[in-house]
Amino acid sequence: MAFEDPAAEVLRHAAETFGLLASPARLHLVWALAHGESDVTGLAERVGGALPAVSQHLTKLKLAGLVRSRREGRRQVYFVDDPDVVDIVRLAMDRLADRTRQSVGSDRSDRVAGAARPAVRLRGL
């Protein structure tokens, strides 16, 4: 089956986007916003971050087009407007959570059996 490689510009943009999401703090913010909109104070409380740091992360995510905001009175409310971003983040987090649960169960049985834990390998790589 033949397929066409993405254009260099698409690959560059995707790498930049995934690079932004490589930060646990920014990924947590997108994850939280994928579940509902919030202001910066609510997000800082939810992710356990300092208000200025959360605000800076949100600015980067907003400049990259991953989150948007709107003003409600004096508050700035943030949200993820792109369903594809929500799907990608949820899919990745769900898959990794499943693997972590499997790994924890495997670690317990490995300790019992005394076996070495195999390296984690991504499907298709």
Side-chain angles (χ1 to χ4, degrees):
M1 176 163 91
F3 62 91
E4 187 174 321
D5 289 332
E9 181 64 18
V10 172
L11 289 169
R12 185 191 61 73
H13 183 69
E16 288 173 1
T17 300
F18 283 118
L20 276 171
L21 295 176
S23 159
R26 285 191 290 269
L27 184 58
H28 196 173
L29 290 169
V30 173
W31 171 256
L33 291 171
H35 290 85
E37 58 188 37
S38 181
D39 65 7
V40 68
T41 303
L43 286 167
E45 289 171 2
R46 178 163 183 179
V47 303
L51 208 61
V54 170
S55 183
Q56 287 178 354
H57 286 304
L58 287 168
T59 298
K60 288 180 182 182
L61 292 167
K62 191 174 172 183
L63 288 171
L66 293 174
V67 302
R68 293 183 47 197
S69 67
R70 71 172 181 281
R71 185 154 299 283
E72 285 186 1
R74 298 186 70 189
R75 295 179 341 138
Q76 195 78 3
V77 176
Y78 293 87
F79 57 96
V80 178
D81 187 31
D82 186 341
D84 292 335
V85 170
V86 172
D87 289 345
I88 289 168
V89 169
R90 284 185 176 167
L91 177 64
M93 296 300 288
D94 289 346
R95 295 281 191 242
L96 292 170
D98 288 346
R99 288 183 183 157
T100 300
R101 282 190 291 276
Q102 290 170 355
S103 176
V104 168
S106 152
D107 283 349
R108 287 187 190 129
S109 52
D110 286 348
R111 281 193 298 266
V112 170
R117 186 172 155 227
V120 174
R121 187 159 179 228
L122 296 176
R123 183 180 303 153
L125 297 180

